[in-house]
Amino acid sequence: MSATMTVAVTFTETKQGVESEPPPYTAVTDHVDNDVISHVQVRPPIVYTSPSAFFCSLWARWKSLWTPRFIFSMIAGQVVSLCITVTNVTTTELIDRNWSLPTTQTWFLYFSLFAVYTPYTMYQYGFKGWAKMVWRDGWKYFILACCDVEGNFLVVKAYNYTDLLSCMLLDAWAIPVCIFFCWIYMRTKYHWTQILGVLICVGGLGMLVASDMLTDKNYPALNKGKGDAFMIIGATLYGFTNATEEFFVRRSPLYEVVGQLGMWGTLINGIQASALEHHDMTLASWNGATAYTAAMFILYTTAPLLYRSASSPFYNISLLTSDFYGLLFGLFLFHYSPYWLYFPSFCVVVLGLVVYFWHATPEEQGKVDPKRPAYIQRRQEEQV
């Protein structure tokens, strides 16, 4: 598909040669082959002709950031980060209660997604339409669910073999993987400020790792090579599933994508749990998993909305603040003594989130046009 893009930028100069404050947005008209015209917004330019013009343009750029879509993306990113923290805290509590069933624990998440979103999909498509969607498109959701289940499983296993430092650093590998697959799927063009934003966020993660090392929170590795391999594979699957789900939810209804993820995840996770943890199921105490499932349900519901409003790479770098929220939980629940690096590290990660969209806009990350499958639309039109 070829595209021609015309950009109109207006500058107004005073008699003193100082440019006035640029508009908060510059309109861009994108003409595509199918005669669909979409209006994308770009940031106002930074002007370097004089100090006053520079600060005026800098202020205009700052104001252009805070659109309702960007504010929603920032809030949603911190919601999913907080949900990750809740799952970590509840998992720790479950382990203290002799519950060590990571695969079984996640099964309740997939079943809840299936139980909520699949009936609504059937209501929207009709049972025959839903069955046709499963028959024709179920294979791609099966791949998505399989990678998601195994990614969760391998990351949990990695914590059992390698040390905390490796886990925290290698988990960030999901970010470049996600960026790569977004480029494969949607040919997203990344500005250098977005790469800088990612590096700033990773720098904040480095400060968290340093604080954990200085406070001697690391633990010895049982099998570092095996654990690191698990973490790298798991993080790769995370990045792949995030980018793939973003690709799906930008083109299909959210209830279809999440419902199918829940359905296939329930089957895959159930088979794996029965094969690996069937003996431990009889010994575990079956209480306390509700908070974990609720937090994960909120995360899996909010994440697709964040994919649409921003992108899956933005989702991944937003999760880097979860360790700071873990500190807050530790202060109140376990009476941890915080190390001073935790607080500036949180600010550094938030700064990276802002820098990520300093030049690029959320609208430029990909087209959002969710539609029902064409064969279901045709069936409904024939009935009318």
Side-chain angles (χ1 to χ4, degrees), residues 318-349:
S318 296
L319 294 182
L320 297 181
T321 60
S322 61
D323 287 324
F324 176 78
Y325 296 123
L327 169 66
L328 298 182
F329 275 89
L331 288 175
F332 293 101
L333 296 179
F334 309 110
H335 305 290
Y336 289 163
S337 56
Y339 192 69
W340 66 272
L341 271 178
Y342 271 91
F343 301 99
S345 66
F346 175 80
C347 297
V348 170
V349 174

PDB file of all heavy atoms in Angstrom, residues 318-349:
ATOM      1  N   SER A 318       5.967   0.210  31.159  1.00  0.00           N
ATOM      2  CA  SER A 318       5.163   0.634  32.309  1.00  0.00           C
ATOM      3  C   SER A 318       5.299  -0.341  33.464  1.00  0.00           C
ATOM      4  O   SER A 318       5.238   0.046  34.642  1.00  0.00           O
ATOM      5  CB  SER A 318       3.688   0.785  31.916  1.00  0.00           C
ATOM      6  OG  SER A 318       3.495   1.802  30.963  1.00  0.00           O
ATOM      7  N   LEU A 319       5.494  -1.624  33.151  1.00  0.00           N
ATOM      8  CA  LEU A 319       5.613  -2.643  34.193  1.00  0.00           C
ATOM      9  C   LEU A 319       6.878  -2.490  35.034  1.00  0.00           C
ATOM     10  O   LEU A 319       6.984  -3.096  36.101  1.00  0.00           O
ATOM     11  CB  LEU A 319       5.595  -4.039  33.558  1.00  0.00           C
ATOM     12  CG  LEU A 319       4.304  -4.476  32.867  1.00  0.00           C
ATOM     13  CD1 LEU A 319       4.452  -5.897  32.347  1.00  0.00           C
ATOM     14  CD2 LEU A 319       3.108  -4.370  33.801  1.00  0.00           C
ATOM     15  N   LEU A 320       7.831  -1.681  34.572  1.00  0.00           N
ATOM     16  CA  LEU A 320       9.083  -1.533  35.307  1.00  0.00           C
ATOM     17  C   LEU A 320       8.899  -0.765  36.618  1.00  0.00           C
ATOM     18  O   LEU A 320       9.810  -0.737  37.440  1.00  0.00           O
ATOM     19  CB  LEU A 320      10.124  -0.827  34.432  1.00  0.00           C
ATOM     20  CG  LEU A 320      10.540  -1.582  33.166  1.00  0.00           C
ATOM     21  CD1 LEU A 320      11.596  -0.798  32.395  1.00  0.00           C
ATOM     22  CD2 LEU A 320      11.058  -2.983  33.500  1.00  0.00           C
ATOM     23  N   THR A 321       7.731  -0.147  36.819  1.00  0.00           N
ATOM     24  CA  THR A 321       7.472   0.526  38.099  1.00  0.00           C
ATOM     25  C   THR A 321       6.930  -0.438  39.150  1.00  0.00           C
ATOM     26  O   THR A 321       6.714  -0.031  40.295  1.00  0.00           O
ATOM     27  CB  THR A 321       6.461   1.673  37.918  1.00  0.00           C
ATOM     28  OG1 THR A 321       5.215   1.138  37.413  1.00  0.00           O
ATOM     29  CG2 THR A 321       6.981   2.721  36.945  1.00  0.00           C
ATOM     30  N   SER A 322       6.705  -1.697  38.786  1.00  0.00           N
ATOM     31  CA  SER A 322       6.059  -2.632  39.711  1.00  0.00           C
ATOM     32  C   SER A 322       6.911  -2.881  40.962  1.00  0.00           C
ATOM     33  O   SER A 322       6.366  -3.113  42.050  1.00  0.00           O
ATOM     34  CB  SER A 322       5.759  -3.956  39.004  1.00  0.00           C
ATOM     35  OG  SER A 322       6.953  -4.557  38.544  1.00  0.00           O
ATOM     36  N   ASP A 323       8.233  -2.839  40.825  1.00  0.00           N
ATOM     37  CA  ASP A 323       9.085  -3.061  41.995  1.00  0.00           C
ATOM     38  C   ASP A 323       8.919  -1.958  43.030  1.00  0.00           C
ATOM     39  O   ASP A 323       9.036  -2.198  44.241  1.00  0.00           O
ATOM     40  CB  ASP A 323      10.553  -3.163  41.580  1.00  0.00           C
ATOM     41  CG  ASP A 323      10.858  -4.477  40.876  1.00  0.00           C
ATOM     42  OD1 ASP A 323      10.277  -5.498  41.272  1.00  0.00           O
ATOM     43  OD2 ASP A 323      11.649  -4.474  39.926  1.00  0.00           O
ATOM     44  N   PHE A 324       8.646  -0.740  42.563  1.00  0.00           N
ATOM     45  CA  PHE A 324       8.410   0.349  43.515  1.00  0.00           C
ATOM     46  C   PHE A 324       7.112   0.108  44.288  1.00  0.00           C
ATOM     47  O   PHE A 324       7.074   0.308  45.508  1.00  0.00           O
ATOM     48  CB  PHE A 324       8.337   1.678  42.771  1.00  0.00           C
ATOM     49  CG  PHE A 324       7.991   2.846  43.658  1.00  0.00           C
ATOM     50  CD1 PHE A 324       8.946   3.419  44.481  1.00  0.00           C
ATOM     51  CD2 PHE A 324       6.704   3.373  43.679  1.00  0.00           C
ATOM     52  CE1 PHE A 324       8.636   4.491  45.304  1.00  0.00           C
ATOM     53  CE2 PHE A 324       6.381   4.449  44.497  1.00  0.00           C
ATOM     54  CZ  PHE A 324       7.348   5.002  45.310  1.00  0.00           C
ATOM     55  N   TYR A 325       6.075  -0.328  43.593  1.00  0.00           N
ATOM     56  CA  TYR A 325       4.831  -0.647  44.295  1.00  0.00           C
ATOM     57  C   TYR A 325       5.026  -1.841  45.231  1.00  0.00           C
ATOM     58  O   TYR A 325       4.389  -1.922  46.291  1.00  0.00           O
ATOM     59  CB  TYR A 325       3.713  -0.938  43.290  1.00  0.00           C
ATOM     60  CG  TYR A 325       3.351   0.253  42.439  1.00  0.00           C
ATOM     61  CD1 TYR A 325       3.414   0.199  41.057  1.00  0.00           C
ATOM     62  CD2 TYR A 325       2.947   1.451  43.020  1.00  0.00           C
ATOM     63  CE1 TYR A 325       3.085   1.292  40.274  1.00  0.00           C
ATOM     64  CE2 TYR A 325       2.620   2.551  42.243  1.00  0.00           C
ATOM     65  CZ  TYR A 325       2.693   2.465  40.874  1.00  0.00           C
ATOM     66  OH  TYR A 325       2.372   3.548  40.100  1.00  0.00           O
ATOM     67  N   GLY A 326       5.904  -2.755  44.821  1.00  0.00           N
ATOM     68  CA  GLY A 326       6.228  -3.861  45.723  1.00  0.00           C
ATOM     69  C   GLY A 326       6.858  -3.372  47.009  1.00  0.00           C
ATOM     70  O   GLY A 326       6.614  -3.924  48.085  1.00  0.00           O
ATOM     71  N   LEU A 327       7.672  -2.315  46.901  1.00  0.00           N
ATOM     72  CA  LEU A 327       8.255  -1.715  48.101  1.00  0.00           C
ATOM     73  C   LEU A 327       7.168  -1.160  49.012  1.00  0.00           C
ATOM     74  O   LEU A 327       7.210  -1.336  50.232  1.00  0.00           O
ATOM     75  CB  LEU A 327       9.228  -0.607  47.706  1.00  0.00           C
ATOM     76  CG  LEU A 327       9.725   0.290  48.848  1.00  0.00           C
ATOM     77  CD1 LEU A 327      10.585  -0.515  49.810  1.00  0.00           C
ATOM     78  CD2 LEU A 327      10.502   1.477  48.297  1.00  0.00           C
ATOM     79  N   LEU A 328       6.166  -0.484  48.421  1.00  0.00           N
ATOM     80  CA  LEU A 328       5.087   0.074  49.228  1.00  0.00           C
ATOM     81  C   LEU A 328       4.311  -1.025  49.952  1.00  0.00           C
ATOM     82  O   LEU A 328       3.962  -0.879  51.130  1.00  0.00           O
ATOM     83  CB  LEU A 328       4.137   0.890  48.341  1.00  0.00           C
ATOM     84  CG  LEU A 328       4.752   2.108  47.636  1.00  0.00           C
ATOM     85  CD1 LEU A 328       3.690   2.845  46.830  1.00  0.00           C
ATOM     86  CD2 LEU A 328       5.403   3.050  48.640  1.00  0.00           C
ATOM     87  N   PHE A 329       4.056  -2.138  49.244  1.00  0.00           N
ATOM     88  CA  PHE A 329       3.393  -3.265  49.903  1.00  0.00           C
ATOM     89  C   PHE A 329       4.268  -3.815  51.023  1.00  0.00           C
ATOM     90  O   PHE A 329       3.771  -4.181  52.094  1.00  0.00           O
ATOM     91  CB  PHE A 329       3.095  -4.369  48.887  1.00  0.00           C
ATOM     92  CG  PHE A 329       1.807  -4.188  48.147  1.00  0.00           C
ATOM     93  CD1 PHE A 329       1.757  -3.466  46.972  1.00  0.00           C
ATOM     94  CD2 PHE A 329       0.624  -4.736  48.619  1.00  0.00           C
ATOM     95  CE1 PHE A 329       0.576  -3.295  46.271  1.00  0.00           C
ATOM     96  CE2 PHE A 329      -0.570  -4.574  47.944  1.00  0.00           C
ATOM     97  CZ  PHE A 329      -0.590  -3.846  46.767  1.00  0.00           C
ATOM     98  N   GLY A 330       5.579  -3.884  50.755  1.00  0.00           N
ATOM     99  CA  GLY A 330       6.480  -4.402  51.768  1.00  0.00           C
ATOM    100  C   GLY A 330       6.546  -3.525  53.003  1.00  0.00           C
ATOM    101  O   GLY A 330       6.702  -4.023  54.122  1.00  0.00           O
ATOM    102  N   LEU A 331       6.422  -2.211  52.828  1.00  0.00           N
ATOM    103  CA  LEU A 331       6.442  -1.293  53.966  1.00  0.00           C
ATOM    104  C   LEU A 331       5.282  -1.556  54.907  1.00  0.00           C
ATOM    105  O   LEU A 331       5.438  -1.556  56.134  1.00  0.00           O
ATOM    106  CB  LEU A 331       6.403   0.156  53.474  1.00  0.00           C
ATOM    107  CG  LEU A 331       7.673   0.698  52.808  1.00  0.00           C
ATOM    108  CD1 LEU A 331       7.423   2.108  52.271  1.00  0.00           C
ATOM    109  CD2 LEU A 331       8.824   0.725  53.801  1.00  0.00           C
ATOM    110  N   PHE A 332       4.097  -1.791  54.329  1.00  0.00           N
ATOM    111  CA  PHE A 332       2.898  -1.923  55.160  1.00  0.00           C
ATOM    112  C   PHE A 332       2.637  -3.364  55.603  1.00  0.00           C
ATOM    113  O   PHE A 332       2.131  -3.590  56.711  1.00  0.00           O
ATOM    114  CB  PHE A 332       1.681  -1.392  54.396  1.00  0.00           C
ATOM    115  CG  PHE A 332       1.717   0.091  54.156  1.00  0.00           C
ATOM    116  CD1 PHE A 332       2.090   0.595  52.923  1.00  0.00           C
ATOM    117  CD2 PHE A 332       1.402   0.991  55.173  1.00  0.00           C
ATOM    118  CE1 PHE A 332       2.137   1.963  52.695  1.00  0.00           C
ATOM    119  CE2 PHE A 332       1.440   2.357  54.953  1.00  0.00           C
ATOM    120  CZ  PHE A 332       1.814   2.849  53.718  1.00  0.00           C
ATOM    121  N   LEU A 333       2.998  -4.335  54.754  1.00  0.00           N
ATOM    122  CA  LEU A 333       2.677  -5.724  55.081  1.00  0.00           C
ATOM    123  C   LEU A 333       3.819  -6.444  55.786  1.00  0.00           C
ATOM    124  O   LEU A 333       3.585  -7.254  56.690  1.00  0.00           O
ATOM    125  CB  LEU A 333       2.309  -6.492  53.803  1.00  0.00           C
ATOM    126  CG  LEU A 333       1.057  -6.014  53.068  1.00  0.00           C
ATOM    127  CD1 LEU A 333       0.830  -6.856  51.809  1.00  0.00           C
ATOM    128  CD2 LEU A 333      -0.174  -6.103  53.965  1.00  0.00           C
ATOM    129  N   PHE A 334       5.051  -6.160  55.355  1.00  0.00           N
ATOM    130  CA  PHE A 334       6.194  -6.907  55.882  1.00  0.00           C
ATOM    131  C   PHE A 334       7.185  -6.020  56.617  1.00  0.00           C
ATOM    132  O   PHE A 334       8.235  -6.503  57.054  1.00  0.00           O
ATOM    133  CB  PHE A 334       6.908  -7.638  54.730  1.00  0.00           C
ATOM    134  CG  PHE A 334       5.982  -8.451  53.872  1.00  0.00           C
ATOM    135  CD1 PHE A 334       5.691  -8.058  52.566  1.00  0.00           C
ATOM    136  CD2 PHE A 334       5.389  -9.600  54.361  1.00  0.00           C
ATOM    137  CE1 PHE A 334       4.836  -8.797  51.767  1.00  0.00           C
ATOM    138  CE2 PHE A 334       4.537 -10.357  53.570  1.00  0.00           C
ATOM    139  CZ  PHE A 334       4.253  -9.957  52.268  1.00  0.00           C
ATOM    140  N   HIS A 335       6.869  -4.718  56.723  1.00  0.00           N
ATOM    141  CA  HIS A 335       7.694  -3.759  57.470  1.00  0.00           C
ATOM    142  C   HIS A 335       9.130  -3.710  56.946  1.00  0.00           C
ATOM    143  O   HIS A 335      10.096  -3.716  57.716  1.00  0.00           O
ATOM    144  CB  HIS A 335       7.690  -4.097  58.969  1.00  0.00           C
ATOM    145  CG  HIS A 335       6.304  -4.191  59.539  1.00  0.00           C
ATOM    146  ND1 HIS A 335       5.481  -3.093  59.710  1.00  0.00           N
ATOM    147  CD2 HIS A 335       5.584  -5.264  59.963  1.00  0.00           C
ATOM    148  CE1 HIS A 335       4.321  -3.475  60.224  1.00  0.00           C
ATOM    149  NE2 HIS A 335       4.358  -4.792  60.390  1.00  0.00           N
ATOM    150  N   TYR A 336       9.251  -3.651  55.612  1.00  0.00           N
ATOM    151  CA  TYR A 336      10.575  -3.510  55.008  1.00  0.00           C
ATOM    152  C   TYR A 336      11.128  -2.118  55.292  1.00  0.00           C
ATOM    153  O   TYR A 336      10.386  -1.151  55.466  1.00  0.00           O
ATOM    154  CB  TYR A 336      10.503  -3.705  53.495  1.00  0.00           C
ATOM    155  CG  TYR A 336      10.244  -5.125  53.057  1.00  0.00           C
ATOM    156  CD1 TYR A 336       9.806  -5.400  51.760  1.00  0.00           C
ATOM    157  CD2 TYR A 336      10.451  -6.202  53.907  1.00  0.00           C
ATOM    158  CE1 TYR A 336       9.559  -6.698  51.342  1.00  0.00           C
ATOM    159  CE2 TYR A 336      10.215  -7.496  53.501  1.00  0.00           C
ATOM    160  CZ  TYR A 336       9.764  -7.739  52.222  1.00  0.00           C
ATOM    161  OH  TYR A 336       9.523  -9.015  51.817  1.00  0.00           O
ATOM    162  N   SER A 337      12.437  -2.028  55.309  1.00  0.00           N
ATOM    163  CA  SER A 337      13.084  -0.718  55.395  1.00  0.00           C
ATOM    164  C   SER A 337      13.543  -0.323  53.996  1.00  0.00           C
ATOM    165  O   SER A 337      14.400  -1.000  53.413  1.00  0.00           O
ATOM    166  CB  SER A 337      14.281  -0.766  56.352  1.00  0.00           C
ATOM    167  OG  SER A 337      15.192  -1.767  55.949  1.00  0.00           O
ATOM    168  N   PRO A 338      12.987   0.728  53.394  1.00  0.00           N
ATOM    169  CA  PRO A 338      13.287   1.064  51.996  1.00  0.00           C
ATOM    170  C   PRO A 338      14.691   1.632  51.842  1.00  0.00           C
ATOM    171  O   PRO A 338      15.208   2.331  52.718  1.00  0.00           O
ATOM    172  CB  PRO A 338      12.226   2.108  51.649  1.00  0.00           C
ATOM    173  CG  PRO A 338      11.902   2.756  52.956  1.00  0.00           C
ATOM    174  CD  PRO A 338      12.026   1.672  53.992  1.00  0.00           C
ATOM    175  N   TYR A 339      15.296   1.321  50.717  1.00  0.00           N
ATOM    176  CA  TYR A 339      16.581   1.923  50.356  1.00  0.00           C
ATOM    177  C   TYR A 339      16.291   3.150  49.501  1.00  0.00           C
ATOM    178  O   TYR A 339      15.358   3.157  48.688  1.00  0.00           O
ATOM    179  CB  TYR A 339      17.438   0.914  49.593  1.00  0.00           C
ATOM    180  CG  TYR A 339      18.876   1.337  49.433  1.00  0.00           C
ATOM    181  CD1 TYR A 339      19.720   1.383  50.537  1.00  0.00           C
ATOM    182  CD2 TYR A 339      19.387   1.683  48.197  1.00  0.00           C
ATOM    183  CE1 TYR A 339      21.042   1.767  50.397  1.00  0.00           C
ATOM    184  CE2 TYR A 339      20.720   2.058  48.046  1.00  0.00           C
ATOM    185  CZ  TYR A 339      21.529   2.104  49.156  1.00  0.00           C
ATOM    186  OH  TYR A 339      22.843   2.491  49.026  1.00  0.00           O
ATOM    187  N   TRP A 340      17.099   4.190  49.644  1.00  0.00           N
ATOM    188  CA  TRP A 340      16.773   5.477  49.044  1.00  0.00           C
ATOM    189  C   TRP A 340      16.724   5.437  47.517  1.00  0.00           C
ATOM    190  O   TRP A 340      16.021   6.234  46.886  1.00  0.00           O
ATOM    191  CB  TRP A 340      17.784   6.526  49.485  1.00  0.00           C
ATOM    192  CG  TRP A 340      19.184   6.308  48.985  1.00  0.00           C
ATOM    193  CD1 TRP A 340      20.158   5.578  49.574  1.00  0.00           C
ATOM    194  CD2 TRP A 340      19.740   6.837  47.777  1.00  0.00           C
ATOM    195  NE1 TRP A 340      21.298   5.601  48.816  1.00  0.00           N
ATOM    196  CE2 TRP A 340      21.085   6.377  47.709  1.00  0.00           C
ATOM    197  CE3 TRP A 340      19.259   7.657  46.755  1.00  0.00           C
ATOM    198  CZ2 TRP A 340      21.915   6.695  46.654  1.00  0.00           C
ATOM    199  CZ3 TRP A 340      20.095   7.972  45.704  1.00  0.00           C
ATOM    200  CH2 TRP A 340      21.407   7.508  45.661  1.00  0.00           C
ATOM    201  N   LEU A 341      17.407   4.481  46.872  1.00  0.00           N
ATOM    202  CA  LEU A 341      17.413   4.433  45.413  1.00  0.00           C
ATOM    203  C   LEU A 341      16.059   4.060  44.821  1.00  0.00           C
ATOM    204  O   LEU A 341      15.802   4.324  43.645  1.00  0.00           O
ATOM    205  CB  LEU A 341      18.465   3.423  44.936  1.00  0.00           C
ATOM    206  CG  LEU A 341      19.886   3.945  44.724  1.00  0.00           C
ATOM    207  CD1 LEU A 341      20.806   2.815  44.298  1.00  0.00           C
ATOM    208  CD2 LEU A 341      19.908   5.071  43.700  1.00  0.00           C
ATOM    209  N   TYR A 342      15.183   3.444  45.611  1.00  0.00           N
ATOM    210  CA  TYR A 342      13.873   3.051  45.092  1.00  0.00           C
ATOM    211  C   TYR A 342      13.080   4.263  44.608  1.00  0.00           C
ATOM    212  O   TYR A 342      12.402   4.194  43.580  1.00  0.00           O
ATOM    213  CB  TYR A 342      13.074   2.317  46.175  1.00  0.00           C
ATOM    214  CG  TYR A 342      13.297   0.823  46.189  1.00  0.00           C
ATOM    215  CD1 TYR A 342      14.294   0.252  46.968  1.00  0.00           C
ATOM    216  CD2 TYR A 342      12.505  -0.013  45.418  1.00  0.00           C
ATOM    217  CE1 TYR A 342      14.495  -1.126  46.981  1.00  0.00           C
ATOM    218  CE2 TYR A 342      12.686  -1.389  45.422  1.00  0.00           C
ATOM    219  CZ  TYR A 342      13.686  -1.930  46.212  1.00  0.00           C
ATOM    220  OH  TYR A 342      13.877  -3.282  46.203  1.00  0.00           O
ATOM    221  N   PHE A 343      13.138   5.346  45.325  1.00  0.00           N
ATOM    222  CA  PHE A 343      12.302   6.505  44.999  1.00  0.00           C
ATOM    223  C   PHE A 343      12.775   7.229  43.736  1.00  0.00           C
ATOM    224  O   PHE A 343      11.949   7.496  42.836  1.00  0.00           O
ATOM    225  CB  PHE A 343      12.261   7.447  46.208  1.00  0.00           C
ATOM    226  CG  PHE A 343      11.725   6.791  47.441  1.00  0.00           C
ATOM    227  CD1 PHE A 343      12.578   6.307  48.427  1.00  0.00           C
ATOM    228  CD2 PHE A 343      10.355   6.629  47.621  1.00  0.00           C
ATOM    229  CE1 PHE A 343      12.085   5.682  49.564  1.00  0.00           C
ATOM    230  CE2 PHE A 343       9.856   6.007  48.754  1.00  0.00           C
ATOM    231  CZ  PHE A 343      10.715   5.531  49.728  1.00  0.00           C
ATOM    232  N   PRO A 344      14.072   7.530  43.589  1.00  0.00           N
ATOM    233  CA  PRO A 344      14.488   8.142  42.315  1.00  0.00           C
ATOM    234  C   PRO A 344      14.346   7.191  41.133  1.00  0.00           C
ATOM    235  O   PRO A 344      14.116   7.636  40.006  1.00  0.00           O
ATOM    236  CB  PRO A 344      15.955   8.525  42.554  1.00  0.00           C
ATOM    237  CG  PRO A 344      16.408   7.710  43.705  1.00  0.00           C
ATOM    238  CD  PRO A 344      15.190   7.502  44.557  1.00  0.00           C
ATOM    239  N   SER A 345      14.455   5.880  41.363  1.00  0.00           N
ATOM    240  CA  SER A 345      14.291   4.936  40.256  1.00  0.00           C
ATOM    241  C   SER A 345      12.880   4.982  39.699  1.00  0.00           C
ATOM    242  O   SER A 345      12.678   4.888  38.477  1.00  0.00           O
ATOM    243  CB  SER A 345      14.639   3.516  40.714  1.00  0.00           C
ATOM    244  OG  SER A 345      13.711   3.055  41.686  1.00  0.00           O
ATOM    245  N   PHE A 346      11.893   5.133  40.582  1.00  0.00           N
ATOM    246  CA  PHE A 346      10.515   5.255  40.126  1.00  0.00           C
ATOM    247  C   PHE A 346      10.349   6.510  39.268  1.00  0.00           C
ATOM    248  O   PHE A 346       9.708   6.473  38.201  1.00  0.00           O
ATOM    249  CB  PHE A 346       9.566   5.301  41.331  1.00  0.00           C
ATOM    250  CG  PHE A 346       8.124   5.539  40.965  1.00  0.00           C
ATOM    251  CD1 PHE A 346       7.345   4.496  40.505  1.00  0.00           C
ATOM    252  CD2 PHE A 346       7.554   6.796  41.086  1.00  0.00           C
ATOM    253  CE1 PHE A 346       6.008   4.705  40.164  1.00  0.00           C
ATOM    254  CE2 PHE A 346       6.238   7.011  40.763  1.00  0.00           C
ATOM    255  CZ  PHE A 346       5.461   5.970  40.292  1.00  0.00           C
ATOM    256  N   CYS A 347      10.937   7.605  39.699  1.00  0.00           N
ATOM    257  CA  CYS A 347      10.853   8.863  38.933  1.00  0.00           C
ATOM    258  C   CYS A 347      11.538   8.728  37.582  1.00  0.00           C
ATOM    259  O   CYS A 347      11.055   9.273  36.580  1.00  0.00           O
ATOM    260  CB  CYS A 347      11.474  10.003  39.735  1.00  0.00           C
ATOM    261  SG  CYS A 347      10.635  10.368  41.292  1.00  0.00           S
ATOM    262  N   VAL A 348      12.645   7.992  37.533  1.00  0.00           N
ATOM    263  CA  VAL A 348      13.355   7.798  36.278  1.00  0.00           C
ATOM    264  C   VAL A 348      12.499   7.001  35.295  1.00  0.00           C
ATOM    265  O   VAL A 348      12.423   7.322  34.103  1.00  0.00           O
ATOM    266  CB  VAL A 348      14.704   7.098  36.525  1.00  0.00           C
ATOM    267  CG1 VAL A 348      15.342   6.660  35.208  1.00  0.00           C
ATOM    268  CG2 VAL A 348      15.651   8.027  37.272  1.00  0.00           C
ATOM    269  N   VAL A 349      11.825   5.955  35.773  1.00  0.00           N
ATOM    270  CA  VAL A 349      10.970   5.159  34.897  1.00  0.00           C
ATOM    271  C   VAL A 349       9.809   5.999  34.367  1.00  0.00           C
ATOM    272  O   VAL A 349       9.479   5.949  33.171  1.00  0.00           O
ATOM    273  CB  VAL A 349      10.448   3.910  35.633  1.00  0.00           C
ATOM    274  CG1 VAL A 349       9.432   3.167  34.761  1.00  0.00           C
ATOM    275  CG2 VAL A 349      11.590   2.975  36.007  1.00  0.00           C
TER     276      VAL A 349
END
